[in-house]
Amino acid sequence: MSKKLTYYLLVMGCQMNESDAERLETILNSAGYQKTNNEKEADLIGVLACAVRQAPMDRIYSRAHKWNLWKEKKPLITLLSGCVLQYDQKKLAKKFDIIIDIKDISGLPAILNENKKKIEQNTNTNYLQIAPNYESTFKAYVPIMTGCNKFCSYCAVPYTRGPEISRSSVEIFTEIKDLLRKGYKEITLLGQNVNSYGNDINDLRSPHAGKTEMSFPELLHEINSWDGDFWLRFTTSHPYDMSDELIAVMAEQKHLAEYLHLPVQSGNSEVLKKMNRHYTIEHYLERLEKVRQRIPEIALSTDIIVGFCGETNQQFMDTARLMEQVGYDMAYISQYSPRPGTGAARAFQDDISRKEKKIREKYLTEILKKTAKKYHNKFIGKTTKVLVDNIKNQTSDVRSSGHRMSENILTGKNREFKNIQFKGNKKLIGQFVDVKITSATPWALDGKLVE
Ligand code: SF4
């Protein structure tokens, strides 16, 4: 019997790429390949790239160089997809055998069979209809839209993923109902900007017009009204589209978890204007106040870019003050890096030094440590419901018996998306359990299983 061909996937960046990887797996499986976690033994290596920052792209260049050296010793196919700017696509064309738009992956088996180098374009199939090969048996990402129309000046996504395209609500409901029937406990609705879900469909000029009449709040409200024991999350939101209707639906809670990721990017309205973010700090704070009025205990996280073109020290300090004022319990802080072809790369100079960006990132991280710890402290002594999702073995010395014993430490998240760890049996993975919180750090909570 001949050995099955294997593939290894390198998935970079956000949850959207992770979700896309599950669809790419389905396609590769259908082409007769089998997944491996051993990069060296793979017959095909696929990359889902992230063009949002330069660092992941640099990693792809160096990995591709290594894979091309391996090709001198054994047959190997390399494939590039995901978020790739045209600039990088051209430069990487010689380094990869196949470069394919994620929307065109249904054409991949034909390309592999023909065994030829090809940049496929526009096969016009809706790749989100491909049934994903879910990584988990109890939590799933469900993309509800792809692409973005916002054109934030620093961002590569509108160029790599194209304009917003929403899935029909019927298709989304079918996928989620199927997952819930199988016992899934957590559903995360995904999109570059989930708040503008349905805008393309409701726009009568759009080729997708009429597929559904639903807005994002209506979609959420519908899923939230279903029976069952599951949590519902969504990411990512844009402050401009954070409507009163959406806040009202979030306040229904039930399946909808008390967690909001609302990227602010900067605490200064002039910088936000240069970033083409379409809102002011006053608007952002007014939206957050409304959210907190309706859901006082909500967990809040954000994205922040430091060292954006021309960001003065005073403008940076506005961001620091905003962080203190809001008291985020998590923030993803990144240093600005220009992406070729984006508005900012064309119009502005990347004039803040690396050293200064690093200093600013560190400064904000120190604020985050304080605000996150303060929020986490609120859980101490309380019991919180946790979806157990992993195990890490921790060896501890049990001196009384003289034996070293290995203890299972389980990890999971509560509704507020906090990382929680506690001792327990690995059979609990995929289950909801109650955990009494005993201590907190800025990044996690420790607790004891309530039996
Ligand atoms: S909203 Fe802005 S940052 Fe988010 S994907 Fe769209 S362009 Fe990029």
Side-chain angles (χ1 to χ4, degrees):
M1 217 171 76
S2 64
K3 186 183 155 271
K4 249 198 162 186
L5 294 169
T6 56
Y7 66 89
Y8 172 86
L9 288 186
L10 174 63
V11 185
M12 298 173 148
C14 65
Q15 296 101 323
M16 201 69 191
N17 266 5
E18 286 176 39
S19 169
D20 286 348
E22 295 179 338
R23 285 175 165 78
L24 180 55
E25 284 186 17
T26 300
I27 294 294
L28 290 170
N29 293 346
S30 75
Y33 284 77
Q34 186 176 293
K35 190 178 176 181
T36 175
N37 291 323
N38 185 345
E39 182 185 346
K40 281 191 177 153
E41 74 169 29
D43 302 290
L44 183 151
I45 295 179
V47 181
L48 282 180
C50 171
V52 169
R53 279 188 285 279
Q54 186 56 42
M57 291 313 296
D58 289 345
R59 267 169 60 210
I60 294 176
Y61 280 93
S62 79
R63 298 281 281 265
H65 176 72
K66 180 178 79 177
W67 297 328
N68 281 316
L69 293 177
W70 290 359
K71 275 187 197 170
E72 290 168 14
K73 294 189 186 136
K74 66 163 199 162
L76 173 66
I77 299 172
T78 52
L79 177 153
L80 177 66
S81 190
C83 278
V84 192
L85 281 164
Q86 268 208 335
Y87 167 89
D88 288 308
Q89 208 174 93
K90 278 189 195 143
K91 281 179 74 179
L92 287 164
K94 282 202 189 96
K95 298 188 186 296
F96 280 85
D97 299 310
I98 302 167
I99 299 184
I100 191 164
D101 190 313
I102 193 71
K103 295 192 191 84
D104 297 324
I105 53 171
S106 54
L108 194 53
I111 299 171
L112 289 169
N113 287 336
E114 288 166 31
N115 198 18
K116 64 181 187 186
K117 184 174 177 116
K118 196 166 171 183
I119 298 178
E120 273 289 292
Q121 272 173 354
N122 222 355
T123 54
N124 268 333
T125 49
N126 183 352
Y127 87 104
L128 293 178
Q129 284 175 346
I130 300 166
N133 189 33
Y134 299 108
E135 277 296 309
S136 162
T137 54
F138 55 89
K139 56 179 190 174
Y141 292 129
V142 176
I144 62 168
M145 50 101 66
T146 177
C148 186
N149 295 350
K150 286 284 189 284
F151 285 92
C152 301
S153 65
Y154 53 82
C155 182
V157 169
Y159 305 92
T160 58
R161 289 195 172 258
E164 287 168 6
I165 299 177
S166 305
R167 276 176 97 183
S168 83
S169 57
V170 176
E171 216 177 286
I172 296 167
F173 295 156
T174 306
E175 184 176 343
I176 298 175
K177 281 184 176 161
D178 190 42
L179 288 164
L180 297 178
R181 254 193 307 274
K182 288 176 183 151
Y184 276 69
K185 303 271 191 314
E186 184 183 87
I187 306 292
T188 304
L189 306 180
L190 281 189
Q192 260 77 36
N193 177 19
V194 286
N195 311 134
S196 56
Y197 169 79
N199 288 355
D200 57 319
I201 295 171
N202 294 329
D203 180 353
L204 292 178
R205 293 161 303 178
S206 156
H208 311 283
K211 270 202 260 167
T212 174
E213 70 295 348
M214 284 202 172
S215 65
F216 183 58
E218 287 165 340
L219 185 93
L220 276 185
H221 174 70
E222 171 62 28
I223 304 167
N224 205 34
S225 70
W226 297 348
D227 291 336
D229 191 13
F230 68 96
W231 291 348
L232 183 61
R233 303 187 189 278
F234 58 88
T235 195
T236 293
S237 301
H238 192 292
Y240 176 84
D241 295 317
M242 195 73 212
S243 64
D244 286 346
E245 292 76 23
L246 176 55
I247 297 171
V249 174
M250 287 169 65
E252 291 171 6
Q253 295 173 308
K254 194 181 167 187
H255 302 303
L256 268 163
E258 295 78 14
Y259 168 67
L260 175 66
H261 180 70
L262 195 61
V264 66
Q265 306 299 3
S266 166
N268 178 277
S269 294
E270 269 174 56
V271 175
L272 288 174
K273 199 165 176 202
K274 271 175 93 170
M275 288 177 166
N276 199 29
R277 289 288 288 173
H278 309 283
Y279 57 85
T280 60
I281 274 306
E282 290 72 28
H283 172 85
Y284 182 88
L285 289 172
E286 185 271 330
R287 293 289 83 193
L288 276 196
E289 201 183 310
K290 203 145 208 171
V291 170
R292 276 183 163 155
Q293 269 168 14
R294 302 296 303 269
I295 317 158
E297 293 305 312
I298 195 162
L300 281 173
S301 65
T302 197
D303 293 335
I304 288 175
I305 297 172
V306 293
F308 186 66
C309 315
E311 183 189 62
T312 63
N313 200 40
Q314 216 176 349
Q315 289 170 332
F316 165 71
M317 287 310 292
D318 284 343
T319 305
R321 270 188 290 276
L322 176 92
M323 283 192 70
E324 302 260 17
Q325 183 183 347
V326 174
Y328 295 105
D329 51 276
M330 187 56 195
Y332 303 90
I333 305 162
S334 59
Q335 299 172 25
Y336 172 69
S337 71
R339 310 307 303 127
T342 56
R346 279 183 272 125
F348 311 122
Q349 278 237 310
D350 175 26
D351 53 0
I352 309 297
S353 70
R354 269 192 185 197
K355 190 175 161 205
E356 181 60 26
K357 285 176 186 167
K358 223 173 166 179
I359 292 171
R360 291 181 185 183
E361 182 185 354
K362 196 160 176 264
Y363 192 92
L364 296 189
T365 305
E366 290 307 313
I367 296 175
L368 175 65
K369 278 187 195 164
K370 275 192 293 170
T371 57
K373 176 82 165 65
K374 191 171 167 205
Y375 181 82
H376 288 175
N377 281 349
K378 290 188 201 167
F379 287 94
I380 297 176
K382 292 191 181 141
T383 297
T384 187
K385 188 171 170 177
V386 175
L387 178 58
V388 187
D389 67 8
N390 219 332
I391 183 170
K392 52 179 184 180
N393 278 329
Q394 188 166 290
T395 305
S396 67
D397 219 344
V398 182
R399 288 172 196 277
S400 57
S401 65
H403 291 112
R404 283 182 76 83
M405 258 180 63
S406 179
E407 274 176 344
N408 289 330
I409 302 292
L410 300 178
T411 59
K413 285 197 162 63
N414 64 358
R415 285 174 70 97
E416 290 86 353
F417 211 58
K418 301 288 102 201
N419 294 314
I420 295 173
Q421 51 178 27
F422 53 97
K423 283 183 208 164
N425 192 309
K426 68 177 178 190
K427 279 194 263 175
L428 294 173
I429 292 176
Q431 308 286 320
F432 285 127
V433 296
D434 285 329
V435 176
K436 186 164 184 188
I437 302 304
T438 49
S439 65
T441 70
W443 317 122
L445 300 167
D446 283 308
K448 210 168 173 298
L449 189 65
V450 179
E451 309 212 48

